[in-house]
């Protein structure tokens, strides 16, 4: 066998994993890797900050369903990735992060640009490796990809000391990875599923509550078939959006703190809750003792530790959501033709009543300020609901979730679990690279966009036509909303200033547009969509608009503040 | 339902892990990061040099224990997690106790050592170092008895345990 340097083996491993893109930033510890990478067919996207490299890899992974890859140098390069890794971890997104490290003889000596990145990221990675011998490189990298994408996906970090990348070893890539102590259980227990199915058939007021697991298991079709087959209404978490078509009459909208009235009321009144690929996060459940108080609960999830963690359920099913739903569909095939729409008509009627009495609402006047919700609705309309939407964090994120009605999976890129401002722009870059064929819009806040605004340079450099819609309220709006409601309107440190975003865009070589009045919203979006370049749209919106419904922290989700 | 309210019980977990650097940190970090308590922890290589056994004593309700075990199993370096609490097991801890040995007390100390079948492993004109092996009750009992002589220092290994073999089981 021919021997190769570690750096060359690294590149060959990525090729073996069919990696076409790496997001990264070079430095001394990874100079050998960059030297080899530059001579390969793998495309490297040079970001402007390592945090953005991981967010971009994460956005790429969400939009493509593939593993995202980031490569950074040791020390500050590595520490800059931590927020990105933590966000991917909370949302179970498959990314592999390669960090440079000082040469093995120097490890532990406080060498220049040395940090214990494996130690720092241990609690926010699915797993991590430090490669201590060039002979172990293939094993570590192949395992990293395997771990990132299988079971409950998540970020894996591989730390690469510089001398390991310079030493030679043989290369042969394993066909299959086998890790004895890691065998995720894909096949759901048939008996449990049968039990679940029988409960579903008998239930009077069933409700499906799906989460990000629907997206990562690629189970949207199976879910849609199942819900329609038995006429079961569906609500999804922030992470699950797109897992069920929003134009379906069974769609209730998102649930939780900023869920729709009908979705939250349905949770409060259902007699059977079918949780699929979701984890009963506190932003979803509100006061946990009063969550779905009248319901038996079925919980299907690939991760056993998600089950019985926050809430005790009646029928736990450990397994892949797609496999479980496919089996439930088989069971449904075996039922003799009952008219489910009719059987459910009473329950669906109650839900319809909630929907028509308490729809999502806001008030836009022709001569008043632009309402941010109206901007999101216009983006939805003008992109035919087919765009990939990234978001920042805060009100912008919630309005995007509420008013961009997603019809297909892998279309919503948002930092859910970590709620990480600065995520949206780099994620939209990753999303655009994953799907050059689709329109990608980052719905942003004026505060968040300033956290990674330097990535405009990346978008311009690679001519990625991402559209950035800033809902510019001049506030850290979501925090201001809490201050308005719970802190007597003392707006402590939330009145944030911003640069002239149009001029910032132009300075970066992007296009900047602004709308200040309601009738300018559509023309600005239309213009932006026509331009084959990155465009920043600065929507100067109503400053003190709030996101409703809202469930105050600690309240049951049926106790909502409404418009 | 609040999972943190159910009655607490002392559990002994036996965990087989990869014998690699950083694995103990992963296990310990999981406990601290998720706010689980550790009563005691002991770790050493098994007959297979690639595998170590960690024995952890944890106080907690059944619900918390279930969560701890699931989280442990999720660690890639963890091969097996067994809760020994409700099964027949041998559980031992070793303690080294340095107890003051004033002239009038020395005979009494040696008598206690004898009754408890422990050993004196070091001796000086002023003190004895006694090695005790047993379950936690035994060690607590002897510490109580020694207290009046004055305990200078103590080192405990933490509990280690194995399930008992079924009697009459064919090999
Ligand atoms: C990195 C980070 N820091 C702080 C927060 C807390 N936080 C949550 S929402 C928010 C306000 C975001 O402001 P902006 O981006 O303008 O969005 P808006 O709510 O106004 O739409 C803040 C500060 C956070 N989520 N992430
Ligand atoms: Mg704002």
């Amino acid at each position: 066998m021919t021997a190769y340097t570690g750096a060359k083996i690294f590149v060959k491993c990525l090729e073996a994993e069919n990696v076409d893109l790496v997001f990264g930033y070079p430095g001394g510890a990874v100079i050998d890797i960059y030297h080899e990478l530059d001579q390969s067919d793998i495309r490297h996207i040079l970001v402007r900050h390592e945090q953005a490299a991981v967010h971009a890899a994460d956005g790429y992974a969400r939009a493509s369903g593939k593993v995202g890859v980031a490569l950074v140098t040791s020390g500050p390069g590595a520490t800059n990735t931590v927020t990105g890794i933590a966000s991917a971890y909370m949302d179970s997104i498959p990314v592999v992060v390669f960090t440079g490290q000082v040469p093995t003889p120097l490890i532990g000596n406080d060498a220049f640009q040395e940090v214990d990145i494996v130690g720092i990221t241990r609690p926010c990675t699915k797993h991590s490796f430090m490669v201590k011998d060039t002979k172990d490189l293939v094993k570590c990298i192949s395992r990293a990809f395997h771990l990132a994408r299988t079971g409950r996906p998540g970020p894996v970090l591989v730390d690469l000391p510089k001398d390991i990348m310079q030493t030679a070893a043989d290369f042969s890539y394993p066909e299959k990875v086998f890790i004895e102590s890691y065998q995720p259980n894909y096949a759901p227990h048939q008996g449990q599923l049968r039990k679940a199915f029988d409960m579903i058939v008998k239930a009077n007021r069933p409700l499906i509550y799906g989460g990000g697991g629907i997206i990562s298991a690629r189970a949207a079709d199976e879910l849609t078939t199942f819900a329609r087959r038995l006429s079961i209404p569906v609500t999804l978490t922030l992470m699950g959006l797109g897992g069920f078509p929003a134009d379906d009459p069974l769609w209730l909208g998102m649930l939780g703190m900023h869920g729709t009235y009908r979705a939250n009321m349905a949770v409060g009144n259902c007699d059977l809750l079918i949780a699929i690929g979701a984890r009963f996060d506190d932003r979803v459940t509100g006061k946990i003792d009063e969550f779905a108080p009248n319901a038996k609960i079925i919980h299907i999830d690939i991760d056993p530790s998600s089950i019985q963690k926050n809430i005790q359920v009646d029928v736990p099913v450990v397994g892949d959501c797609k496999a479980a739903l496919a089996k439930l569909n088989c069971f449904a095939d075996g039922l003799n033709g009952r008219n489910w729409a009719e059987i459910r008509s009473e329950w669906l009627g109650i839900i319809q009543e909630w929907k028509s009495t308490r729809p999502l609402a806001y008030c836009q006047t022709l001569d008043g300020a632009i309402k941010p919700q109206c901007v999101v609705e216009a983006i939805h309309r003008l992109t035919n609901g087919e765009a990939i939407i990234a978001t920042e964090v805060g009100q912008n994120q919630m309005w995007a979730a509420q008013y961009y009605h997603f019809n297909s999976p892998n279309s919503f890129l948002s930092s859910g679990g970590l709620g990480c401002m600065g995520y949206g722009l780099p994620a939209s870059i990753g999303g655009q690279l994953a799907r050059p064929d689709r329109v990608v819009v980052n719905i942003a806040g004026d505060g968040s966009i300033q956290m990674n605004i330097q990535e405009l340079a990346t978008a311009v450099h690679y001519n990625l036509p991402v559209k950035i819609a800033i809902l510019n309220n001049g506030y850290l709006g979501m925090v201001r909303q809490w201050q308005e409601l719970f802190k007597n309107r003392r707006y402590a440190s939330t009145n944030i200033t911003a640069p002239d975003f149009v001029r910032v865009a132009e300075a970066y070589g992007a296009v900047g547009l602004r709308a200040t009045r309601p009738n300018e919203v559509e023309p600005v979006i239309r213009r932006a969509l026509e331009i084959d370049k990155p465009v920043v749209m600065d929507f100067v919106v109503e400053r003190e608009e709030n996101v409703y419904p809202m469930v105050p922290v600690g309240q049951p989700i049926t106790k909502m503040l409404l418009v | 339902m609040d999972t943190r309210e159910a009655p607490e019980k002392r559990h002994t977990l036996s965990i087989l892990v990869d014998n690699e650097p950083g694995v103990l940190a992963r296990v310990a970090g999981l406990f601290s990061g998720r706010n689980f308590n550790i009563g005691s922890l002991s770790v050493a290589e098994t007959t297979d040099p690639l595998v170590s056994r960690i024995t952890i004593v944890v106080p907690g309700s059944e619900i918390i224990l279930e969560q701890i075990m699931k989280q442990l199993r999720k660690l890639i370096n963890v091969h097996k997690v067994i809760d020994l609490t409700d099964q027949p097991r041998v559980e031992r801890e070793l303690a080294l106790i340095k107890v003051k040995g004033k002239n009038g007390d020395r005979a009494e100390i040696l008598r206690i050592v004898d009754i408890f079948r422990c050993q004196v492993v070091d001796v000086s004109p002023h003190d004895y170092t006694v090695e005790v092996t047993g379950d936690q009750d035994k060690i607590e009992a002897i510490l109580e008895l020694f207290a009046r002589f004055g305990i200078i220092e103590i080192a405990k290994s933490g509990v280690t345990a194995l399930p008992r073999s079924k009697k009459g089981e064919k090999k």
Side-chain angles (χ1 to χ4, degrees), chain A residues 299 301 303-309 313 316-318, chain B residues 66-67 70:
Chain A
H299 190 184
D301 202 282
D303 177 5
S305 75
S306 282
I307 298 178
Q308 318 287 31
K309 181 177 68 178
V313 303
V317 183
V318 177
Chain B
E66 181 184 335
Q67 185 55 214
K70 284 174 170 176

Side-chain angles (χ1 to χ4, degrees), chain A residues 393-396 419-421 445-448 451 473 475-479:
Chain A
V393 170
Q395 295 181 314
N396 58 85
C420 172
M421 292 169 68
D446 49 310
S448 303
M451 283 212 182
N473 51 18
Y475 278 119
L476 297 172
M478 185 57 92
V479 183

